[in-house]
Amino acid sequence: MRLAHCWILSVGVACLSVVCLRPQTSLGSDVYELAKRIDRHIDARLRSEEITPTDFVDHAAFLRRVTLDLAGRIPTQSELDDYLNAEPRDRKQRLVKRLIESPDFAYHQRNQLDILLLLRQEHNDKWREYLLEATRDNRPWDRLFREIMLPEESPSSDPRPVAFLKRRTNDLDAMTNDSSVTWFGVNVACAKCHDHPLVSDWTQAHYYGMAAFFQRTFQTRKGFIGERFDGRPKFTDENGEQQEAEFMFLTGTKVADPPLEFSEEELKQLNEQIKQAERDDKAEVPPRPDFRPRARLVELALSDDQQQFFARNITNRIWARFFGRGIVHPLDQMHSENPPSHPELLSELSDDLRESGYDLRRLIHAIVLSEPYARSVERASDAAPMPPELFAAAVPRPLSPRQLALSLRMVSIGPEKMLQWQSNEWEKQREQLERQADGLARSLVIPDDDEFQVPVSEALWFSNNQTIENDILNGSGDRLVGYLKTLESDSQLVSVAVKVILSREADDEETQAMATYLRSRTDRREQAIKQILWSLLGSPEFRFNH
Amino acid sequence: MNQMINRRALLRAAGATAVVSNMAAIDALSQPSFASELARGEKSVILLWLAGGASQLETWDPKPGRLTGGPFSKIQTCIPGVEISELLPKMSTRLDETAIIRSLNTKIGDHGQAYELMDRGRVGEPGVRFPHLGAIISHELGQIDSRVPDYVSMYTSTEGRRQGSAGFLGARYNPMFLTEKMMPENIGRHDAISQVDHQDRAALRDFLAKRFVRDLKNPSVHSHENAYERVHGLMACDYLFDIDKEPQSMRDHYGPTQFGQQCLIARRLVEAGVPFVKVARAWWDSHGQNFETHQELCADLDQCMSALLDDLKQRGLLEKTLVITLGEFGRTPQINGSLGRDHFANAWSCTLSGCGIRGGVVHGKTDEDGQSVVEGEMNAGDLFATIFAALGIEHDKEYMVGSRPVPLSDFGSTPCREVLA
């Protein structure tokens, strides 16, 4: 915060032009100032390393990039035209604000959180509904954490946040490690059998300390999550000695295990009751213990002096979503031997996130307004490749299965119909598109955090599957192919096709190549149109966000 | 492409002359110069996966006469002193190129977890996505711009359907997976587009793509281009899946079952240079009626496996093709109330044949009732190390996952030298 003030004093004049557009937020500096702080930290490092970053992308490219990132789909032709023709002053700021406040943002944010939290393991409609509700009202991240990790505290009518734990209740290792990775950016699995061989931060005591918080969690046959009254993991340490784990968070802070208030006999009965409920869906739900380790973990992880893992993890994960890599990278390796590339930036952003009440929308808003976000991708040159951790250039990022499936659906719609949808009940159409995209999205590979490889099955699908031919490239009247059929000029046809699919103007060489292709197929014009659309859809320019 | 065309023409010729002289056509295919051109001198693996877990007692490690031995007897094989179940008569005369391992102790007796163990050669860990055997082999033996698939996976029924994952090696090494049909999905051209337009359209795509990819240093973008470059090569491979191209006598040799047909496809694939083919045969999970089940399934296995080994040998392919016959575990010596045998991972068997294997060897020994391993115990990691060693791949070579080294076969595993040539 203090640093930001210094900056405002020094270049205060430069930012006067945007003052009138500042969105008001409850706490701290506004998002424009936050964006400038990002610029400053990234710039400082580039300067000290004497690296010249790439240029900024042009307006059309920025529109495509930010629409994919905020709305989870490519822009429509009319969005492209509007943006290119908009009053130049502050058009970027207005665009970002519009997108972030649009219904699309909630859908996309939901889809992203679904991948993060269920780790590509299942498709669950109720859970997706729950997440959508949460992203619509921009529910704070700490509240989501609480709801998802303590689903038994939700009103009984709303069992939906249970999916995260439910998936993992019969596998303590998965519950321990997935929770640590997802919420705290720490992969402790390596420390299960021995102290972490490479990272001195993580010992067996950390692994089993985290596992202890989850060991008592069980699931009833009816699907309720509960906690047992006793039990902590036992393990053999490196000296071959048997140990009983203590409740211990990643920071090393421990929680005492209070003495049981029950007699052996009562405890036996309670445990019997729990066993019954695990087996029998008619059995009564056992009572909740007063001391619940999982609830204590949530409390501890959000307490003032322990929050750093929680806040830094989500900040880093959000950052990585927009830049293709984290400030700490890989994302699950937050420890002293894998320092952040920009430590101060990570601290400031995560502090700001905490102070804003874990307002993810604000963080995202600032990131997409920052300068490094608007840089173009790196092209080969004589210079040495830029170290990726400097964020001197954009990295082409593969579309997520859902971004790709939605974009394909969007492309298939004719521009006139799309315009009609956009001016009327767009949200309903978006919901519809989401459903239509389900099947395809599930059959595509979810990109890893690291280097993604397009499988050949995808290229075969694009080349030969009947969905492309019969559905996406369907030639009826209100579809793109149907619309293009009505255009007489080839260059106009190519121009619309390139705008709709690649969100930019076609250049001369492309126009000429595609027009030639069309001209040599006048006997089968509709097929020729489909073929040029296919060649655009199959281009990496469509497949990646760049 | 020329190779493809030559080969297609030749196969067509082989089909046409089938009635007159099958052997001549087969001989032509196995001429050294032509065969090496086809197989590109690469090594391959065919994994015959016995999904559900076959009984070692009714296959490779019979114990007739014991209380737990079951009704079948054992027979003498072509290797002096080596006896296997009478349910595998054809294999009993063909052990020259095959090593039997009777001492697997893999401990895990649950289908899901055992499958993962025997598929990846190590126990899973949350947070690390280990690749499975097929992905590792295709990564090690495949060629980046291959015109044939790296890895094809076929199955007969739901039990064998588990797909596995290439894990941290990346989706490039995912299998081409055959579901209900005997032909991979999306390998055939859609009727609505002609051959010429299909290729011209691809050329237009390449033109547009190159303008974008030009000077771009990103490996993910290049993998996209690599995937599209392989499309027409793979589409031209459709004939490999078409066993109508084989003479009837060859098809009869493999038998009429789906497993047999898929084994024949597997041979066609490795002949064309596919590094890894998995054929899963389901329904070995004989908790009830173990003996009837094995009578039926062993007959199928016996015919298909022996046909495959004969065929590979005749073509000179066996010395560079490793055939692995394996499932997720074996079955209990105890016979349950339904005359079945249950899951058993403490003392069971598998076989390795062909490439890099010393034939006729039996490694390891179980006690007289088959309850435990008494000699030469091996775990999943040791088996994987042996497989890699047989193929000339360093088993302790390491992949780096982030900053963590992951050896090809699990830490502490050693190849079983006794079965290696």
Side-chain angles (χ1 to χ4, degrees):
Chain A
M1 225 45 49
R2 198 171 47 80
L3 287 168
H5 282 297
C6 298
W7 177 83
I8 288 169
L9 286 176
S10 61
V11 283
V13 181
C15 71
L16 275 180
S17 63
V18 294
V19 165
C20 56
L21 275 161
R22 284 180 181 182
Q24 293 307 304
T25 51
S26 51
L27 285 161
S29 59
D30 73 18
V31 287
Y32 296 127
E33 283 170 20
L34 194 56
K36 291 287 174 199
R37 281 154 70 188
I38 295 173
D39 301 347
R40 220 166 34 82
H41 283 292
I42 299 295
D43 272 355
R45 177 91 196 269
L46 285 171
R47 248 179 275 130
S48 76
E49 307 265 346
E50 296 182 353
I51 298 243
T52 311
T54 58
D55 296 335
F56 296 123
V57 290
D58 64 23
H59 294 302
F62 183 81
L63 173 74
R64 183 178 188 273
R65 182 184 290 176
V66 78
T67 307
L68 277 165
D69 273 334
L70 297 183
R73 57 168 178 83
I74 52 170
T76 66
Q77 192 197 354
S78 65
E79 283 174 319
L80 177 65
D81 289 338
D82 288 352
Y83 189 59
L84 295 181
N85 297 325
E87 153 73 39
R89 203 169 137 266
D90 304 324
R91 76 169 117 180
K92 181 168 138 185
Q93 284 80 352
R94 275 178 293 159
L95 166 71
V96 167
K97 187 167 184 294
R98 173 175 75 73
L99 286 171
I100 228 162
E101 287 167 359
S102 72
D104 293 272
F105 179 82
Y107 278 101
H108 181 55
Q109 178 76 344
R110 182 271 304 269
N111 295 340
Q112 292 295 114
L113 292 184
D114 188 23
I115 292 178
L116 169 63
L117 294 167
L118 284 200
L119 297 171
R120 74 197 68 200
Q121 289 172 350
E122 67 174 294
H123 181 91
N124 181 330
D125 281 334
K126 291 254 170 263
W127 159 261
R128 285 174 60 78
E129 258 172 44
Y130 159 77
L131 285 181
L132 183 59
E133 237 171 67
T135 54
R136 273 186 176 138
D137 57 357
N138 192 27
R139 201 167 294 169
W141 182 241
D142 56 339
R143 206 179 125 201
L144 267 171
F145 173 54
R146 210 180 272 279
E147 289 176 359
I148 289 166
M149 294 306 276
L150 302 171
E152 60 270 48
E153 291 183 357
S154 293
S156 56
S157 60
D158 188 10
R160 296 172 301 170
V162 84
F164 179 87
L165 287 176
K166 198 170 175 176
R167 177 81 212 176
R168 300 163 169 108
T169 41
N170 54 11
D171 185 344
L172 180 61
D173 287 335
M175 186 148 55
T176 304
N177 201 56
D178 289 353
S179 301
S180 303
V181 166
T182 308
W183 302 108
F184 308 121
V186 173
N187 188 329
V188 284
C190 267
K192 185 185 172 190
C193 312
H194 43 69
D195 293 349
H196 198 298
L198 306 169
V199 182
S200 57
D201 297 13
W202 309 131
T203 65
Q204 276 185 301
H206 285 94
Y207 181 81
Y208 287 98
M210 287 298 284
F213 287 113
F214 295 106
Q215 164 143 319
R216 295 183 190 178
T217 296
F218 68 93
Q219 190 185 149
T220 68
R221 180 88 190 186
K222 254 187 186 155
F224 289 109
I225 298 287
E227 279 181 277
R228 293 190 192 83
F229 290 79
D230 67 333
R232 296 204 309 267
K234 295 189 176 56
F235 64 99
T236 310
D237 69 15
E238 289 191 302
N239 303 321
E241 279 169 34
Q242 281 284 321
Q243 302 277 356
E244 186 171 41
E246 294 182 85
F247 301 110
M248 187 171 100
F249 187 50
L250 299 165
T251 51
T253 304
K254 293 176 186 170
V255 174
D257 193 3
L260 276 172
E261 304 149 25
F262 307 104
S263 68
E264 289 279 314
E265 193 49 41
E266 285 168 318
L267 183 64
K268 222 172 126 188
Q269 253 178 24
L270 281 166
N271 282 334
E272 196 42 53
Q273 209 183 329
I274 289 169
K275 270 198 196 128
Q276 193 68 27
E278 283 179 306
R279 278 196 306 258
D280 180 1
D281 58 4
K282 292 192 190 67
E284 209 179 310
V285 181
R288 268 157 63 175
D290 291 337
F291 177 78
R292 290 174 300 124
R294 190 162 27 84
R296 295 304 301 271
L297 171 66
V298 171
E299 200 177 298
L300 190 59
L302 293 178
S303 64
D304 277 347
D305 59 341
Q306 308 277 322
Q307 259 181 87
Q308 67 270 32
F309 277 108
F310 181 74
R312 289 160 68 92
N313 169 62
I314 191 62
T315 306
N316 194 49
R317 282 183 183 280
I318 296 281
W319 178 275
R321 195 204 286 176
F322 295 90
F323 290 98
R325 69 176 284 132
I327 301 174
V328 174
H329 200 80
L331 306 184
D332 65 349
Q333 300 292 324
M334 286 208 159
H335 53 73
S336 57
E337 280 158 63
N338 185 36
S341 57
H342 299 74
E344 289 172 4
L345 176 60
L346 183 59
S347 297
E348 283 180 36
L349 289 178
S350 62
D351 287 350
D352 183 274
L353 185 69
R354 281 170 66 171
E355 285 163 27
S356 72
Y358 286 103
D359 179 354
L360 297 184
R361 203 138 76 171
R362 172 183 158 83
L363 174 61
I364 290 169
H365 199 157
I367 286 174
V368 298
L369 285 178
S370 72
E371 286 183 353
Y373 177 74
R375 299 215 172 271
S376 55
V377 297
E378 186 184 5
R379 300 270 169 188
S381 63
D382 297 337
M386 299 177 182
E389 68 274 15
L390 296 186
F391 305 105
V395 175
R397 289 166 287 144
L399 303 190
S400 72
R402 212 159 260 281
Q403 281 172 322
L404 182 56
L406 281 165
S407 299
L408 277 173
R409 290 280 161 206
M410 303 260 304
V411 161
S412 78
I413 314 293
E416 287 169 343
K417 172 123 186 209
M418 185 54 83
L419 200 59
Q420 194 187 324
W421 278 4
Q422 283 186 288
S423 55
N424 182 26
E425 297 187 317
W426 169 248
E427 187 161 6
K428 210 176 90 193
Q429 301 303 343
R430 169 76 193 219
E431 175 73 41
Q432 188 70 17
L433 286 169
E434 286 277 337
R435 285 188 196 290
Q436 288 172 353
D438 269 350
L440 174 54
R442 266 181 271 175
S443 70
L444 292 165
V445 180
I446 297 178
D448 306 325
D449 295 335
D450 280 312
E451 194 177 295
F452 170 68
Q453 299 154 350
V454 175
V456 71
S457 57
E458 183 183 306
L460 283 168
W461 186 89
F462 259 88
S463 299
N464 298 320
N465 193 278
Q466 56 178 2
T467 307
I468 289 282
E469 182 66 32
N470 300 348
D471 191 352
I472 306 297
L473 299 180
N474 185 302
S476 61
D478 56 359
R479 311 294 287 275
L480 178 60
V481 174
Y483 173 82
L484 294 178
K485 275 195 294 190
T486 65
L487 302 179
E488 275 170 25
S489 142
D490 284 349
S491 62
Q492 196 195 348
L493 190 156
V494 169
S495 163
V496 174
V498 172
K499 272 187 178 177
V500 169
I501 296 175
L502 301 179
S503 317
R504 63 170 173 82
E505 301 282 359
D507 68 25
D508 292 345
E509 237 180 288
E510 288 168 335
T511 307
Q512 204 190 340
M514 285 185 263
T516 308
Y517 194 94
L518 287 167
R519 264 203 309 282
S520 60
R521 285 166 179 75
T522 43
D523 60 326
R524 47 188 194 284
R525 189 166 170 84
E526 177 169 341
Q527 283 170 293
I529 293 172
K530 288 181 176 190
Q531 287 156 21
I532 63 165
L533 295 183
W534 178 87
S535 64
L536 291 164
L537 292 174
S539 165
E541 191 176 348
F542 181 72
R543 182 64 180 81
F544 287 80
N545 192 0
H546 42 83
Chain B
M1 205 60 205
N2 265 342
Q3 283 181 24
M4 294 287 176
I5 290 163
N6 285 343
R7 180 167 164 69
R8 295 181 100 176
L10 193 105
L11 281 166
R12 234 175 274 130
T17 56
V19 186
V20 185
S21 167
N22 297 316
M23 285 315 292
I26 291 167
D27 282 350
L29 275 173
S30 57
Q31 274 169 19
S33 61
F34 196 71
S36 63
E37 184 187 315
L38 291 177
R40 302 170 1 179
E42 298 287 334
K43 289 172 181 166
S44 296
V45 174
I46 296 176
L47 172 62
L48 303 180
W49 181 259
L50 311 182
S55 167
Q56 67 284 1
L57 296 155
E58 276 71 42
T59 53
W60 312 111
D61 193 12
K63 308 278 181 186
R66 302 299 303 177
L67 203 57
T68 53
F72 303 117
S73 56
K74 57 186 178 185
I75 45 174
Q76 176 59 47
T77 67
C78 58
I79 307 298
V82 176
E83 294 168 318
I84 62 174
S85 168
E86 64 168 331
L87 297 180
L88 301 173
K90 291 194 164 97
M91 278 309 300
S92 75
T93 64
R94 290 168 171 84
L95 287 183
D96 299 315
E97 319 280 350
T98 295
I100 298 174
I101 293 172
R102 284 179 175 161
S103 50
L104 290 173
N105 179 2
T106 53
K107 299 190 172 72
I108 297 174
D110 161 78
H111 283 298
Q113 287 176 40
Y115 175 84
E116 288 188 354
L117 174 66
M118 300 315 294
D119 197 38
R120 303 186 298 206
R122 51 182 27 113
V123 177
E125 268 175 44
V128 189
R129 299 183 306 120
F130 291 115
H132 56 171
L133 182 64
I136 299 175
I137 301 283
S138 56
H139 184 268
E140 295 302 315
L141 299 183
Q143 296 192 358
I144 196 76
D145 56 350
S146 175
R147 289 191 159 275
V148 293
D150 296 316
Y151 172 9
V152 176
S153 179
M154 298 175 263
Y155 71 96
T156 35
S157 185
T158 45
E159 242 186 350
R161 198 171 56 190
R162 294 170 198 274
Q163 198 167 353
S165 152
F168 61 66
L169 289 180
R172 168 74 174 71
Y173 300 100
N174 281 349
M176 180 175 265
F177 196 57
L178 272 60
T179 50
E180 292 82 25
K181 294 178 197 138
M182 298 284 272
M183 188 66 77
E185 277 186 322
N186 303 321
I187 199 175
R189 181 168 48 80
H190 195 276
D191 294 339
I193 182 165
S194 71
Q195 177 73 34
V196 172
D197 277 357
H198 200 276
Q199 299 220 343
D200 285 358
R201 179 182 81 163
L204 181 62
R205 191 212 71 88
D206 289 347
F207 167 79
L208 296 169
K210 283 206 171 66
R211 293 162 57 80
F212 174 75
V213 175
R214 153 193 71 89
D215 306 334
L216 211 57
K217 292 181 191 168
N218 185 274
S220 292
V221 173
H222 286 283
S223 80
H224 183 270
E225 288 314 279
N226 180 248
Y228 276 86
E229 278 159 20
R230 292 180 63 207
V231 163
H232 283 101
L234 292 177
M235 288 175 68
C237 282
D238 59 348
Y239 71 95
L240 292 173
F241 297 89
D242 183 0
I243 52 167
D244 287 345
K245 301 269 194 292
E246 291 287 330
Q248 187 59 42
S249 62
M250 181 54 73
R251 298 176 59 179
D252 291 345
H253 198 37
Y254 281 85
T257 61
Q258 194 178 16
F259 185 51
Q261 296 181 356
Q262 289 173 333
C263 286
L264 179 51
I265 293 175
R267 187 272 288 159
R268 291 173 64 82
L269 290 169
V270 299
E271 187 173 42
V274 177
F276 193 91
V277 185
K278 174 178 171 181
V279 185
R281 172 61 161 109
W283 307 122
W284 291 90
D285 195 19
S286 52
H287 290 285
Q289 311 299 330
N290 175 71
F291 304 104
E292 285 85 344
T293 304
H294 277 76
Q295 214 161 11
E296 184 194 333
L297 296 189
C298 286
D300 195 21
L301 173 65
D302 193 38
Q303 172 154 13
C304 300
M305 186 174 168
S306 52
L308 179 64
L309 294 180
D310 287 355
D311 194 7
L312 289 171
K313 193 171 178 178
Q314 241 166 9
R315 286 161 196 271
L317 291 169
L318 191 54
E319 61 192 42
K320 48 192 172 189
T321 305
L322 174 65
V323 179
I324 307 168
T325 305
L326 179 70
E328 62 261 43
F329 39 53
R331 309 213 71 86
T332 50
Q334 296 85 344
I335 299 164
N336 66 29
S338 317
L339 294 177
R341 294 190 193 270
D342 301 315
H343 305 170
F344 187 63
N346 295 354
W348 58 291
S349 309
C350 70
T351 62
L352 302 174
S353 315
C355 177
I357 295 300
R358 183 182 299 163
V361 170
V362 175
H363 171 81
K365 200 173 158 188
T366 53
D367 64 30
E368 52 188 9
D369 284 329
Q371 298 284 3
S372 58
V373 173
V374 293
E375 220 178 277
E377 180 169 309
M378 285 172 71
N379 61 27
D382 299 328
L383 178 63
F384 271 52
T386 310
I387 289 169
F388 295 136
L391 294 164
I393 301 168
E394 284 171 60
H395 75 281
D396 50 2
K397 186 173 118 176
E398 288 171 344
Y399 295 130
M400 291 305 288
V401 182
S403 55
R404 172 183 171 172
V406 175
L408 261 61
S409 64
D410 205 5
F411 280 109
S413 57
T414 44
C416 173
R417 296 284 165 206
E418 199 185 345
V419 305
L420 293 173

